[in-house]
Amino acid sequence: MIEATGLTKVYGDKTAVDGVSFTVQAGRVTGFLGPNGAGKSTTMRMIMGLDRPTSGSVTVNGVPFAQHAAPLREVGSLLDAKAVHTGRTAYNHLLAMAATHSIPRKRVQEVIEMTGLAEVAKKKVKGFSLGMGQRLGIAAALLGDPQTIILDEPVNGLDPEGVVWVRNLVKYLASEGRTVFLSSHLMSEMAMTADHLIVIGRGRIIADAPIGEIITGKGQSRARVRTDQPEQLMRLLADDGVSVEVQDHELLQVTGLPPRDIARTALDNRIMVYELTPLQASLEEAYMELTKDEVEYHSLITTGAAAPTQTGGQQ
Amino acid sequence: MSTAALQSSRPQGTGPGPSFLRVLNSEFIKFRTLLSTLVLVGSTVLVMVGFAALNAWGIGQFSEASRNDPQAGAAFAAQGADLTAGIPTSGIAFAQLIIGSLAVLLMSSEFTTGMARSTFSAVPKRTPAFVAKLLVVTACAFVVTVASSLLAYAAASPILDHYGFDIDLGSDHSRRLLLVSGVYVAAVAAIGMSLGTLLRNSAGGIMSLVGLFFVVPIAFQLIPGEFFAEARKYLPDSLFERIVTAAPAEGALEVWQAWTWLGVWVAVPVAAAMIILKKRDV
């Protein structure tokens, strides 16, 4: 279990992480989702004791990471695919890491095979692709067979096969009762992998809930209705907080009313409905909704649109 | 099955942790599995042997030339064994820079490659990793210096023999030269590793080291004035010269003073590096 309390990191006049509190439970995959620069990596480095919090604290299984008697056996982390001296071979890198905790060579060999590095293990990391680097990082994280696993953007640069492998690996690790904390800026990836989501934007937690709740919780219930009496049904459904939109001939989109109530109204008024589909917001939509005010780097289109106005003002 | 049940079925974080000996072993693995280490150690041996051979040949040539000049010959003979005793360690001015640079690199590369994140995740208290690396680096510096001096002796002896000289390796002066050279290069390595820790930058660390051991001594010699002449005595390379010389110049430091100052030169950057390493974000 990872517990952060009022965790804050200030770099100069920039607050990277702003009083963040959250708990990462064991036995499930917790996704840490946020746009680039939201403070995900900084938070993870603070968990690992690499960055000192400006204020607040974070513990792993009740103890600050640095206080654990055998840190590598407690927490495995992939913070950066290139946290390796590139002049060393993958095997020697893992061997040196293992030596600090008397982890046997057998285990080094095991994680090499587990991560599919057997063929390149004796090669220098210099020549590794980003995907190979990620695999080596994951191998290092698993070395101590830790109870807690922290992975920062683990699928970055992985090929599709590698992405599926990471997805299954983290789910398996969580099913063994381990704490798995995984960051990503890819919502689709989180939808496939995480059970629980912590959404961060501009250093603040915007949402902390099971993934299903995040998808359905935001926004109102929506349904697609097809009927041969659209005008009549529209009139009957119209109410406070309910909006009905004619999308096509005989096709309505109803927002703000559960499908059951729509069906009931139709039945009571003997209106035939030949399609009633509840619409679920995608994680993308939920995420956009959540982070729309918190995006650190707005896309170029926004700045491009703003620029001419300024020039115009000067003229 | 509940999460709690799953969790309790697995013991947490059991097994050995990063004791100092284990961290030392890890740092030694890291040291010997880099090609750059082997290249720089090899270069040091080559430089030491090469300089000794060249020096032996030069002395031989000079003695032959001075045979026709009785005055020069007498002066030559007066220096006797001391002249040849310095041959095995004659390449030390360059060896110290190579080993010093190696020491800078071993630490700065941790930061430039990102390896530091791995190192300090495994040893989050940081200080044991620093001390272990320091031990590996200084021990290597000492061993490489002494061993390459002995190799240099082996290479220079046949040349000297040809001119009718020899080196008495068992003499007090020879033995002191050998050991003090080893300790001195180890000290340079400790300073280099501290610079690498403080600057976290390979080029900057090596330039600072070269500045301290090459540029500053020459500059102090060239700048006129009492102050610089006096300050020159306290620079590390002068302290080394003072410790090994049999015939000190007038106004020179006592040997124990020279040792103390050399100790200060090591202790200050090492302490600063340890404090900063502990405090700064990786």
Side-chain angles (χ1 to χ4, degrees), chain A residues 9 26-27 49-52 65-66 69 71 73-74 80 82-85 88 92-93 96 99-102 145 147 175, chain B residues 3 6 10 13-18 22 26 30 33-34 109 113-115 117-118 121-122 124-126 278 281-282:
Chain A
K9 182 71 186 179
L50 294 173
D51 281 16
R52 187 184 294 264
F65 173 71
R73 297 177 191 274
E74 196 70 41
D80 189 328
K82 297 285 175 189
V84 179
H85 195 303
R88 222 170 259 128
N92 284 332
H93 170 71
T100 58
H101 285 59
S102 275
D145 192 22
Q147 160 68 21
S175 78
Chain B
T3 335
L6 269 167
R10 215 188 143 273
T14 49
R22 292 189 193 109
S26 171
K30 280 158 74 178
T33 51
L34 283 179
S109 69
T113 61
M115 180 67 198
R117 278 188 286 273
S118 295
S121 294
K125 295 203 191 306
R126 300 187 194 173
K278 187 95 182 165
D281 290 345
V282 173

Side-chain angles (χ1 to χ4, degrees), chain A residues 186-240:
Chain A
L186 301 171
M187 309 138 251
S188 50
E189 189 44 46
M190 283 299 176
M192 303 286 270
T193 316
D195 306 308
H196 190 94
L197 267 191
I198 296 174
V199 184
I200 187 170
R202 283 209 215 163
R204 291 169 200 244
I205 302 288
I206 329 177
D208 183 349
I211 196 150
E213 214 170 277
I214 287 189
I215 292 172
T216 54
K218 275 278 170 179
Q220 294 159 302
S221 150
R222 280 186 299 161
R224 194 161 61 206
V225 186
R226 276 183 212 271
T227 170
D228 43 12
Q229 292 161 268
E231 288 85 5
Q232 252 181 296
L233 186 62
M234 251 180 96
R235 223 174 305 123
L236 290 162
L237 291 175
D239 195 3
D240 266 359

